[in-house]
Amino acid sequence: RRGLVAHAEQVTRILERAEGVDRVSFVCHSMGGIVARLVLGDPDATWRSRVHPHRLVMIATPNRGSEIAEQLADVPVFELAAGPSVRQLHRDRITEVPLPTIPFATIAGGRGDRRGYNPLLPGDDDFTVTVDSVCLEGAEDQLVVPALHTFIMVKPEVIAATVRYLASGRFR
């Protein structure tokens, strides 16, 4: 229930205190991918002198912004539950988030058709984020799996693909 920068600062503090760690990869779900992009995009990060950032997997991350966050932004209970970061996920604000500075890949959930799960969203989606929003130029690999947003990260095929990507730079 904090803003994106506050979340990024918390991750940065963890990385700065990490002892005995010389390499780190990031596996993030949803907004966590945006937070990782902020962490990785900080040019003044002192942790990078000790810890080498290896790879980033963003699972159902609204890399191009969240249409549903825009649609529900003026619903008071939604912002109360989601916190100030919900407004920062709007398509016009997400452009302020740096692109990943390390090799990365994306995994999106969808039905594999033009309708998706949520009739309020354009195109294929995982009920919360569109496939188009997850995909990001420069990705080493991209994967779309039949999954809902809330459960995509626990699907065995997503876990296996993530492990393969972290080891090889490819999902398959």
Side-chain angles (χ1 to χ4, degrees):
R1 293 193 179 125
R2 292 182 277 169
L4 294 171
V5 171
H7 287 299
E9 289 170 348
Q10 182 179 16
V11 173
T12 297
R13 283 193 300 275
I14 291 168
L15 289 166
E16 288 172 351
R17 291 193 305 253
E19 293 182 21
V21 176
D22 60 1
R23 185 172 93 168
V24 65
S25 290
F26 298 80
V27 177
C28 310
H29 175 252
S30 197
M31 187 178 73
I34 303 300
V35 171
R37 287 172 53 187
L38 287 168
V39 169
L40 291 164
D42 179 0
D44 301 322
T46 58
W47 62 269
R48 289 185 90 148
S49 66
R50 296 179 300 101
V51 181
H52 171 72
H54 183 236
R55 290 194 170 109
L56 165 65
V57 178
M58 293 181 283
I59 304 169
T61 296
N63 283 304
R64 296 183 184 179
S66 171
E67 294 95 338
I68 203 78
E70 291 177 28
Q71 293 174 17
L72 298 175
D74 294 326
V75 177
V77 73
F78 182 68
E79 187 163 2
L80 182 65
S85 59
V86 71
R87 291 196 184 274
Q88 297 171 316
L89 295 176
H90 290 198
R91 288 174 286 183
D92 61 336
R93 303 260 332 259
I94 206 78
T95 58
E96 300 167 15
V97 178
L99 293 173
T101 57
I102 62 174
F104 72 95
T106 63
I107 302 175
R111 287 176 39 156
D113 61 20
R114 295 174 136 177
R115 295 176 301 149
Y117 293 104
N118 189 335
L120 298 176
L121 295 175
D124 201 3
D125 64 78
D126 64 7
F127 203 78
T128 304
V129 177
T130 64
V131 170
D132 285 346
S133 180
V134 172
C135 296
L136 190 60
E137 187 175 326
E140 286 190 311
D141 207 348
Q142 297 180 17
L143 180 65
V144 179
V145 298
L148 294 173
H149 189 79
T150 305
F151 306 108
I152 187 171
M153 79 296 276
V154 297
K155 287 190 65 94
E157 68 185 288
V158 170
I159 294 168
T162 298
V163 170
R164 278 192 301 273
Y165 177 77
L166 293 176
S168 70
R170 304 297 303 163
F171 284 134
R172 293 167 194 85

